[in-house]
Amino acid sequence: PVEARIGPHRFAFPANYYDDQIGPAIGGGVGLTLMWPELVAAPPGTRSTRTMSDHHRAISMSVDHVDAVPIGNLLQRITSTESKTEDGSIERQDPRYRLDMRRPAPERFGLTPYVIDEDRMATYSKAYSDRRGRPPVRNPRYEDDWYIARSSDDTLSTFIKCDQPQNGSQGLQIKDNTLVSDGADMVTSCSHYFVDQADSLSVTLFYPSVLLKDWRAIEDAARNVLARYKVR
């Protein structure tokens, strides 16, 4: 085990859990890797010999301590524009980046997708044009798909945003628990956010969007790693 300090907390992760299979980054950043489908660390000493398939199934896990804002409000901040825009700016009203202005869609994988509301987008585009003299630039590649899970008290518990598939392709497909190319030029990916409220930790996971179906198992595995290797 190699010790890592995350805020006031100490962890003793086995070395092969770290991204470089050595230890925390200089400066204290903690990045871990879980290998799909087992969702455990890669065998020691294998980082330099990973195949492209291994590279794709390596789920990155970034852990940070949050003390500047209440940890319980972090996901609400991420899914709004208030912390990223100036008060009174037209950009604050952009419905692409506000959960409260997106529209819920039928559940998928136990998540609620929230899609861009095109009626609100039309209203925003007109207001933006009136203010800026030109319409806002739209590029579907950068208009992420959003997914939400809520806790029993209806607060946000998980936020996942994924690249949109390119012409219906995600870049990878699953065959016999292996990730293989589907012929597309780009591999679409997801950024998965959740918090550990008890320890004020923010966790961000990165993985190919073809693995979105396993989001709950991935999150559970990440939580288990934190709980298992915390030094009490």
Side-chain angles (χ1 to χ4, degrees):
V2 179
E3 182 175 299
R5 289 188 175 271
I6 309 176
H9 309 295
R10 292 171 57 229
F11 295 84
F13 302 112
N16 53 316
Y17 266 102
Y18 291 97
D19 287 342
D20 60 5
Q21 296 202 316
I22 297 174
I26 296 175
V30 175
L32 309 175
T33 297
L34 304 176
M35 301 299 289
W36 181 89
E38 298 87 356
L39 303 178
V40 297
T46 58
R47 185 175 185 273
S48 62
T49 60
R50 289 177 190 166
T51 64
M52 184 57 69
S53 179
D54 289 334
H55 170 75
H56 287 313
R57 69 188 187 93
I59 298 170
S60 296
M61 174 180 170
S62 175
V63 188
D64 297 284
H65 182 255
V66 176
D67 57 9
V69 298
I71 190 68
N73 296 333
L74 186 64
L75 295 184
Q76 287 84 345
R77 289 172 61 86
I78 294 173
T79 57
S80 75
T81 56
E82 291 194 5
S83 64
K84 310 164 196 170
T85 59
E86 295 182 2
D87 188 22
S89 67
I90 185 62
E91 287 79 9
R92 180 160 291 191
Q93 301 305 314
D94 193 334
R96 290 171 293 185
Y97 306 111
R98 289 182 51 161
L99 180 63
D100 63 345
M101 295 184 74
R102 282 185 169 233
R103 179 168 50 81
E107 187 176 289
R108 186 182 183 206
F109 306 135
L111 295 162
T112 301
Y114 277 78
V115 300
I116 296 171
D117 188 319
E118 291 300 334
D119 290 339
R120 283 177 164 158
M121 193 66 203
T123 300
Y124 169 71
S125 295
K126 183 179 185 306
Y128 187 99
S129 295
D130 292 343
R131 181 84 64 93
R132 303 289 187 217
R134 63 186 186 282
V137 175
R138 295 195 69 177
N139 185 336
R141 177 171 291 186
Y142 299 106
E143 293 181 352
D144 297 328
D145 294 330
W146 285 21
Y147 300 89
I148 294 293
R150 298 182 184 273
S151 59
S152 57
D153 61 0
D154 204 38
T155 58
L156 295 183
S157 58
T158 301
F159 169 50
I160 304 174
K161 62 179 181 179
C162 301
D163 301 323
Q164 288 196 29
Q166 303 301 303
N167 298 317
S169 298
Q170 297 175 293
L172 296 171
Q173 56 185 325
I174 300 173
K175 286 189 175 180
D176 300 324
N177 282 338
T178 302
L179 300 182
V180 298
S181 172
D182 66 4
D185 295 332
M186 171 184 166
V187 174
T188 57
S189 62
C190 295
S191 300
H192 176 155
Y193 305 90
F194 70 90
V195 298
D196 179 335
Q197 296 216 31
D199 289 339
S200 292
L201 300 179
S202 168
V203 181
T204 307
L205 299 155
F206 301 96
Y207 47 82
S209 59
V210 72
L211 300 183
L212 180 63
K213 68 180 186 65
D214 292 335
W215 73 272
R216 195 184 300 276
I218 293 170
E219 182 172 314
D220 287 347
R223 289 184 183 275
N224 288 339
V225 167
L226 293 176
R228 180 178 181 181
Y229 295 111
K230 183 178 179 181
V231 178
R232 304 188 183 277

